[in-house]
Amino acid sequence: MSADTVKRDNAPKIRAAQIRLLERLCNASAVSGDEGEVRSIVLDEIRSHADQVEVDSIGNVLATKLGKSRHRKKRLRVMLAAHMDEIGFMLIHREDSSIFRFDTVGGIDVRQLVGKPVLVGQDHIPGVIGTKPIHLTTSNERKNTISLDALRIDIGLDSNPKVKVGDRATFATRFTRIGPSLRAKALDDRLGVATLIQLVKHAPENIDLLAAFTVQEEVGLRGAQVAAYTFDPDVGIALDSTPAIDLPDWEQEAGQEENSFYNTKLDGGPAIYLADSATLADPRLIRHFADTAEAAGIPFQFRQPGGGGTDAGAIHRSRAGIPSISVSVPARYLHTAAGIARLSDWRHTLTLLHTALTKMTPSLLSEPR
Amino acid sequence: MKSLIQELVETTGPSGYESRVRDVIRTKIETLADEVYVDALGNLIAAKGEVESGGKKIMLAAHMDEIGIIATHIDELGFIRFTTIGGVRRQTCVGGRVRFLNGTRGVISYEDLGDVNKLPTFNQMYIDVGSTSRAECPVRVGDVAAFDRPFSSFGDRLVSKAMDDRIGTAVLIETLRLLNKTPNQVFFVFSVQEEVGLRGATTAAYGLDPDIGIAVDVTRSGDTPKGVKMEVSLGAGPAVKVRDSGMLSDPRVVSWMVDTAEKEKLPYQMEVLEAGTTDARAIQLTRAGVPAGCISIPCRYIHAPSEMVDYNDVQNAVQLLLALLKQEVNLE
C-alpha cells in the first residue's frame, strides 16, 4: 500500500453509518443544561478512539487525541468545539394534571410554536403546544400572533409522575433524509457534533486534537468558556451550523433585484466565518481555511459578516487569548421545528476541516496577520 | 508629538485588523523598552523596568483599533454591501468615504427611501468604489475598511477619524519615550479589538496579571452647543475617570491620580461618563480583580469621522502619567 493510499484511507467519509449516527444525534433530546442523551452517544462513539476522555464539571465532553511527533512544540494544540445542546423549552408551571406553562430556552421565535408536537423530558413523553381549532377562532384572532403567555404544552395524561416542572421539551420532528437533503430538528449543532466525532476517529497525526463537545452554547457559550480554560489550546475552532437565508421568494418580497442578505447558501459548501457579534476570526486562520479549500478543490463560502455568535466567541477570550475561527454547515430554518441541510455541504465541511487540520503546524501562528 | 499623532491616526486599523498600526508603533518603541512582543490575539506589549521595593506591576492600555466596516456582499453591478465593526453611527456614514486595507477607496450612499428626512439603515446603504461589475470590483466579502479622512490641526485642536484611540497610543508612546527611572514594572499594552468589546485587553490583562491597571482612552465632552450634560471640556486637562457605564474606578486609583496632579500642578478634571467604557473595565475584572482607573483625553464627536481633541490635554496626560509612574505607588 502506498503512503498516499494510507493517507486517503485515514480521511473521514460520510456514508450510511455516519448518517445513521447523525440521525440518532438529531433525534436525541438535549436542551441546554440537559445534554445527557447526546453526551452518552458521544462518549460511546469516541471513547475507544481518544487518548483521554473526561466529562468536566459543567458537563462538557473533553477528549484528547495526541499527535505523533515526540516534540511537543511541533504539535499545534488545536481545540475543536461543537455544542451538544439545542434550543427548546422548559416546563415552568403545572396548571392542571396535563397542562404546563413553559418558557423558551435559547433563541426561539414564538410565532412558529403554535400547534407543534413536542417531546417532554428524557423519556420523550409526547405532547403538543396546543391551540384553539379554526372552528372556534375569529378572523381577527387569526391575524394576531399568540404570545408565549398564552401557549401551553399538553401531554394528554393525568398526573404522569415522570413529567415535572423543570423538565425540558424539544420539537418532536424525527430525522429524515430527502434525496440530497437532511431534514431534522437540532441540526444546529448535531451536524457539528457528528463532524467532530469523525475528526476524533480520524485525528490528523500532526496536531494534538482537543475535542470539546460543549454544553449550554445556546444560552451564552457557557460550556465552551470553561472548556477553553481547561484545554488552554494554541488555536480554537468552533464547528457549528449557520442559517442559509437563500430562498428566492424572500428576495422578491424584499423588492430587491439581488438577495444581499442571505448569510449563507445551501450547496455553497462549508461556511468560513470572518466576523460575527462574538468573534473576529483570526486572519491567519481565515487564510488557512480558504487557501486549503482552494488548493484541494473543496467548495466553500464565506459566511456574511454580521450578528450571531459561536463557541469561538468564548474560546478566543479565554486566558491570555486564543486565535480562533468558526466553520459551519449551512442549513435553512434553524431554531425552528425542522431545518434542512445538504448532505454535500456536510461532506465538504468534514473534508475541509480534516484537510486543513492535516496542514496545521506551529508556523501558522508566525505568519503575518 | 503632532507628527507622531498624524502618522498614527492616518494608519488604517479597524478592529481585528490592527497590524499596520502595530507595525508603526513597534518601530517607534522597539528600542525604548526592555522587551517588546505580540501576544496571541495581537496585542503589542512593551515592558519597562523591574518591580523594585515599593513598586508595582502596572498595566497601561491604549487600543490600536478603530471603528470601521466589513464587506458582506458585492452585487452584480459592483456595489458593496457592508456591516459595521464597532459603534459606527448611521448619520455619520452618508456621503462619507472609506478606505479598504488594499487601498481601495469608496463612497457610502443609500437606496432611494422616498423621504428625504429618513435616515437609512445600514442594510439600505452601500459603498461605491467606482466598479461596474462584481468581477471588476477590487473588494471581496470580508474585506475591511476604515473611514477615510486626513488629519487636520486647527491650532491646538486636532481632528481625525481615529483619535479614538490613536491619541491614547500616542500618549503611551510618548510616556515610554520620556520615562527614565521608575520603581515600577510598567507594561505598555497597545490593545486590539477594544471597539468590539474590550477583547484584547481582556486577554492581555489575564496574561500580565498586573497589580494596577490604567487605560488611556478618549471620553466625551459637554462643551458643545446643546450637547450632553457633562463636566468635561476640551483644553481643561486630562480627565480622571470616576465612573463610566462599564466601570467604577477604584477610588484609591482616583485619589492617586488626583493627588499626583495636584502635587505636580498639572491641570485635570473629573470625569463621569454615562455611556461607554474602556479597557480599564476588562483589566479590573480579570482573574481575582485588579485596582483600575482611566486617564481620558476629552474628545468631541467620538465615532464620527472628525473626532477632535486638544493638544494641551494630550501633553498634560503624558505629564500626569510620567508623574504617576516615576513614584512608588501605595494605594492603601
Side-chain angles (χ1 to χ4, degrees):
Chain A
M1 210 187 269
S2 75
D4 265 11
T5 322
V6 174
K7 212 172 178 183
R8 207 176 308 132
D9 281 348
N10 187 41
K13 292 279 188 311
I14 293 169
R15 299 201 175 96
Q18 287 72 35
I19 296 171
R20 277 198 304 275
L21 174 59
L22 178 65
E23 174 170 1
R24 286 171 59 216
L25 288 165
C26 287
N27 286 349
S29 296
V31 178
S32 308
D34 186 27
E35 296 88 354
E37 192 175 349
V38 167
R39 184 164 48 237
S40 54
I41 298 173
V42 169
L43 287 169
D44 285 349
E45 289 291 324
I46 64 169
R47 212 184 286 276
S48 61
H49 296 273
D51 296 312
Q52 197 189 332
V53 178
E54 65 163 308
V55 177
D56 74 5
S57 62
I58 202 173
N60 298 307
V61 176
L62 304 181
T64 304
K65 178 82 179 165
L66 297 174
K68 288 284 184 278
S69 171
R70 285 182 187 172
H71 303 287
R72 157 70 191 90
K73 290 202 163 160
K74 288 189 178 169
R75 309 187 317 247
L76 201 64
R77 288 165 46 80
V78 182
M79 172 175 172
L80 292 151
H83 66 90
M84 298 189 289
D85 64 314
E86 65 190 288
I87 54 116
F89 317 100
M90 182 184 274
L91 306 186
I92 57 172
H93 178 67
R94 188 193 285 266
E95 282 196 340
D96 77 9
S97 55
S98 74
I99 305 243
F100 290 85
R101 292 171 71 95
F102 65 97
D103 204 353
T104 53
V105 178
I108 294 182
D109 182 348
V110 174
R111 290 176 306 166
Q112 48 115 359
L113 297 184
V114 176
K116 295 289 191 307
V118 296
L119 296 174
V120 178
Q122 284 305 327
D123 293 312
H124 295 202
I125 307 292
V128 64
I129 300 174
T131 184
K132 213 197 279 188
I134 190 165
H135 316 65
L136 306 175
T137 55
T138 65
S139 61
N140 247 352
E141 277 179 317
R142 291 197 292 274
K143 282 184 198 146
N144 299 326
T145 55
I146 302 176
S147 73
L148 192 59
D149 285 346
L151 291 172
R152 300 290 183 270
I153 288 176
D154 186 343
I155 56 166
L157 288 170
D158 280 342
S159 62
N160 183 327
K162 285 180 175 169
V163 175
K164 58 186 187 308
V165 166
D167 283 357
R168 273 77 166 181
T170 65
F171 294 112
T173 316
R174 299 295 86 182
F175 180 96
T176 317
R177 172 143 178 217
I178 316 168
S181 299
L182 310 166
R183 193 207 66 178
K185 73 163 181 69
L187 286 168
D188 175 6
D189 181 28
R190 304 297 149 69
L191 280 165
V193 170
T195 305
L196 186 49
I197 289 171
Q198 295 312 313
L199 291 171
V200 172
K201 290 180 176 179
H202 301 267
E205 296 180 348
N206 53 305
I207 58 166
D208 285 354
L209 192 153
L210 313 170
F213 298 88
T214 61
V215 297
Q216 301 188 29
E217 191 267 359
E218 296 291 2
V219 291
L221 321 180
R222 297 178 195 165
Q225 186 180 330
V226 298
Y229 186 92
T230 302
F231 275 143
D232 194 16
D234 300 323
V235 167
I237 303 170
L239 312 182
D240 213 326
S241 184
T242 190
I245 316 171
D246 57 344
L247 298 187
D249 289 2
W250 297 359
E251 294 168 32
Q252 285 161 17
E253 263 179 34
Q256 291 168 350
E257 292 165 15
E258 187 175 336
N259 181 357
S260 306
F261 306 101
Y262 39 82
N263 191 54
T264 62
K265 297 176 179 175
L266 287 196
D267 298 316
I272 300 172
Y273 282 54
L274 303 158
D276 63 22
S277 298
T279 317
L280 297 167
D282 190 283
R284 296 165 296 189
L285 294 171
I286 296 171
R287 256 193 333 263
H288 181 72
F289 275 94
D291 291 353
T292 300
E294 270 167 19
I298 304 164
F300 75 98
Q301 57 190 321
F302 288 119
R303 176 190 178 275
Q304 283 191 295
T310 71
D311 276 344
I315 298 168
H316 85 283
R317 300 170 75 146
S318 185
R319 292 189 185 245
I322 297 158
S324 298
I325 194 169
S326 306
V327 178
S328 278
V329 182
R332 287 183 184 151
Y333 325 121
L334 292 180
H335 287 216
T336 73
I340 285 188
R342 291 273 199 266
L343 189 52
S344 59
D345 286 332
W346 181 29
R347 285 196 166 118
H348 291 311
T349 302
L350 179 59
T351 307
L352 173 58
L353 282 160
H354 190 265
T355 313
L357 291 173
T358 306
K359 292 181 170 185
M360 271 191 183
T361 63
S363 68
L364 176 66
L365 296 179
S366 314
E367 287 175 12
R369 50 184 155 186
Chain B
M1 202 176 164
K2 275 190 189 173
S3 66
L4 170 69
I5 294 168
Q6 176 163 3
E7 185 178 1
L8 287 168
V9 298
E10 289 189 344
T11 307
T12 305
S15 310
Y17 295 82
E18 300 90 351
S19 59
R20 289 177 193 185
V21 182
R22 185 164 53 233
D23 291 346
V24 168
I25 296 174
R26 189 162 192 156
T27 58
K28 309 277 177 212
I29 64 171
E30 198 90 66
T31 57
L32 302 174
D34 301 332
E35 191 193 357
V36 176
Y37 64 97
V38 178
D39 75 3
L41 281 201
N43 298 301
L44 176 65
I45 300 173
K48 171 118 180 169
E50 294 297 329
V51 180
E52 291 166 16
S53 146
K56 292 272 192 304
K57 199 167 153 184
I58 301 176
M59 171 174 169
L60 306 179
H63 65 91
M64 296 189 287
D65 62 314
E66 66 191 291
I67 58 169
I69 63 96
I70 181 165
T72 58
H73 180 73
I74 320 297
D75 77 13
E76 283 172 15
L77 296 173
F79 293 105
I80 298 159
R81 299 287 177 159
F82 64 94
T83 189
T84 56
I85 297 175
V88 176
R89 298 208 197 92
R90 291 183 291 157
Q91 59 267 40
T92 58
C93 281
V94 173
R97 297 182 192 185
V98 294
R99 182 172 191 173
F100 288 87
L101 287 182
N102 67 7
T104 303
R105 289 184 154 96
V107 175
I108 301 177
S109 193
Y110 58 100
E111 301 164 2
D112 180 20
L113 305 179
D115 177 354
V116 290
N117 296 315
K118 247 180 157 174
L119 196 56
T121 65
F122 287 115
N123 283 358
Q124 291 167 324
M125 297 184 203
Y126 56 83
I127 296 168
D128 185 342
V129 295
S131 296
T132 55
S133 70
R134 183 182 293 148
E136 190 193 288
C137 183
V139 173
R140 302 213 303 174
V141 170
D143 285 355
V144 300
F147 289 90
D148 187 27
R149 288 283 174 103
F151 170 82
S152 287
S153 170
F154 310 159
D156 278 345
R157 298 286 157 96
L158 312 180
V159 177
S160 154
K161 48 92 179 164
M163 284 302 171
D164 177 8
D165 183 32
R166 299 296 154 63
I167 201 65
T169 66
V171 168
L172 256 56
I173 293 168
E174 191 68 1
T175 303
L176 175 57
R177 193 174 70 79
L178 297 173
L179 184 65
N180 291 321
K181 198 164 160 36
T182 172
N184 305 297
Q185 185 177 29
V186 188
F187 291 95
F188 296 78
V189 176
F190 301 90
S191 62
V192 296
Q193 300 190 31
E194 192 269 356
E195 296 290 359
V196 292
L198 322 178
R199 295 179 192 165
T202 299
T203 59
Y206 183 94
L208 294 171
D209 195 12
D211 300 321
I212 297 173
I214 300 174
V216 180
D217 207 335
V218 297
T219 190
R220 294 166 82 176
S221 67
D223 57 351
T224 52
K226 295 189 180 175
V228 291
K229 290 270 180 285
M230 189 171 173
E231 279 290 306
V232 174
S233 49
L234 262 61
V240 174
K241 189 186 291 288
V242 178
R243 61 155 273 208
D244 60 28
S245 55
M247 184 189 71
L248 301 168
S249 297
D250 190 298
R252 297 166 298 178
V253 173
V254 172
S255 305
W256 174 41
M257 291 174 174
V258 168
D259 294 348
T260 303
E262 295 280 355
K263 202 171 78 190
E264 302 285 330
K265 299 192 167 43
L266 291 168
Y268 71 96
Q269 44 192 333
M270 303 309 287
E271 172 205 348
V272 176
L273 177 67
E274 293 186 271
T277 194
T278 73
D279 278 345
R281 171 191 161 85
I283 303 169
Q284 187 177 49
L285 297 179
T286 199
R287 293 187 186 239
V290 175
C294 178
I295 294 175
S296 298
I297 311 298
C299 182
R300 292 178 184 165
Y301 325 123
I302 292 176
H303 287 199
S306 298
E307 300 173 330
M308 180 186 284
V309 300
D310 189 288
Y311 189 47
N312 299 302
D313 294 337
V314 179
Q315 291 174 306
N316 284 317
V318 173
Q319 293 309 314
L320 178 55
L321 264 181
L322 284 169
L324 289 168
L325 296 173
K326 73 180 184 193
Q327 58 184 330
E328 290 180 4
V329 187
N330 185 357
L331 291 185
E332 297 316 310

